[in-house]
Amino acid sequence: MHPQSSPPPSALARYLSPIVALAATFLLVAATIIVLAPRASAATLDPVPSFGTDPGNLAMYEYVPDDLPAGAPVVVLLHGCAQDAAAYHQHSGWAEQADASGIALVYAQQNSGNNATSCFNWFEPTDVARDSGEARSIRSMVEHAVDTHELDPGRVYVSGLSAGGAMAAELLAAYPDLFAGGSIVAGIPVGCATGMIDAFTCMNPGKDRTPEQWGNEVRAKLPDGADLPRVAVWHGTSDTTVAPANGDASVAQWLNAGGAPTEPDATEQLPGSTTASYYGGGPDDAAVAHYSVSGLGHGTPVDPGSDCGTAGAYFLASVCSTGYTAQFWGIDGGSGPTDPPTEEPTDPPTEEPTDPPSGECVTASNYAHVAEGRAVHRSGTAYAVGSDAPLGLWNLAVTTSLTETSPDYWEHTVDGC
């Protein structure tokens, strides 16, 4: 996720602030299967040109399986930076889950006029406040979908990756009366950032706050008398884009906000070296679930071998987070993952997807290199991953070329690609 707000034509009210954060993997276990019920669907992902008030200037897309009965649940999905609704629909596994379980899907899509790198502006107070900016636009999408397709207003959920995960967290706090549950995938705790500098600090190394301080950020946004939604937090222990401390902080935040015990009531081992910890109840009724994936980097985990999404940039063959999330929310209709196998794969996950291949040369700004895992930043300077070659200032203005000479080893190509 990368903070990069483009200022509106009328004024520089929203500072240019890139937040691109996406990349990495969850572990593949082919034996774990999403048992999809045979629900044929010729449905397509369709744009919704008009969906009501749209102060955040977002686009809406929807996917409604054929013959979806009235009273079906709906899941709102928020892509990461440099992604769009179509990519998230194609790769995330939610299309298959929707067909199998009878779920309507709503995709919010960022406008490059709002953010140059297509990140949701989770760090802008005016975009995350109740009934303001992008948050209000997403509420309009939900209301339009529920009314148009006669969906169940009591079974509305939201999930997102990275910047989308951070925005999902903000929405859960701003609209606990709208969302029954949410999933924060490699995201950021509520209230962590109020601008660009905050955003980068939140991403890595993360902010050090007490559980009560994190909980206060949620309580400050909650409408009076609102019940908290059920929250699932997914994070890899080797995430170098959004530090794993953010996953721990998100869990602590929601536990404190709801007054739930800080020790899990139950734990279980899932595929992909994933440990699921359930707080405030067991798997079927927990208030908060923490899915921690050992050795995993940053991204949306999918499992193509079990008909759960497809691999691609930032969608990595691993564990089916979509199926386990739908199961946690209780909307999988019995089509969720089966019991995990007893054996784990021997190969550890890698930080990056299989693409790009070794030898590829990439020319981009130093901001983009850092955000996409080809470089790291220290004290305002970007350095190539692997070779540690200095690339110059960590900003949008400096453009450099990097060549991957071996997996995860990038060298500065002085003469360009």
Side-chain angles (χ1 to χ4, degrees), residues 37-115:
R39 182 187 179 86
S41 175
T44 57
L45 180 67
D46 298 318
V48 180
S50 178
F51 53 85
T53 184
D54 182 23
N57 191 28
L58 302 179
M60 174 182 175
Y61 290 79
E62 66 179 14
Y63 180 81
V64 181
D66 290 350
D67 303 319
L68 187 72
V74 57
V75 176
V76 178
L77 297 164
L78 307 176
H79 61 77
C81 301
Q83 293 180 325
D84 57 19
Y88 212 78
H89 182 69
Q90 177 184 356
H91 294 291
S92 66
W94 278 106
E96 296 93 327
Q97 191 69 48
D99 289 339
S101 304
I103 301 169
L105 304 178
V106 167
Y107 293 83
Q109 180 171 290
Q110 182 58 286
N111 187 325
S112 61
N114 298 337
N115 186 293

Side-chain angles (χ1 to χ4, degrees), residues 318-336:
S318 53
V319 63
C320 185
S321 59
T322 294
Y324 283 109
T325 297
Q327 189 177 74
F328 172 69
W329 289 337
I331 61 170
D332 64 318
S335 66

Side-chain angles (χ1 to χ4, degrees), residues 227-240:
D227 293 328
L228 292 184
R230 300 181 70 203
V231 180
V233 176
W234 288 83
H235 221 108
T237 63
S238 297
D239 192 333
T240 58

Side-chain angles (χ1 to χ4, degrees), residues 163-212:
M167 180 60 83
E170 296 288 347
L171 291 170
L172 291 171
Y175 295 111
D177 49 343
L178 181 65
F179 296 104
S183 176
I184 304 165
V185 183
I188 302 287
V190 174
C192 187
T194 57
M196 179 182 66
I197 300 302
D198 270 352
F200 281 107
T201 302
C202 290
M203 287 171 58
N204 203 333
K207 288 191 176 180
D208 185 12
R209 295 178 179 173
T210 66
E212 183 175 4

Side-chain angles (χ1 to χ4, degrees), residues 87 108 120 140 142 215 220 263 275 316:
F120 290 103
S140 295
V142 172
E263 293 297 324
T275 301
L316 308 164

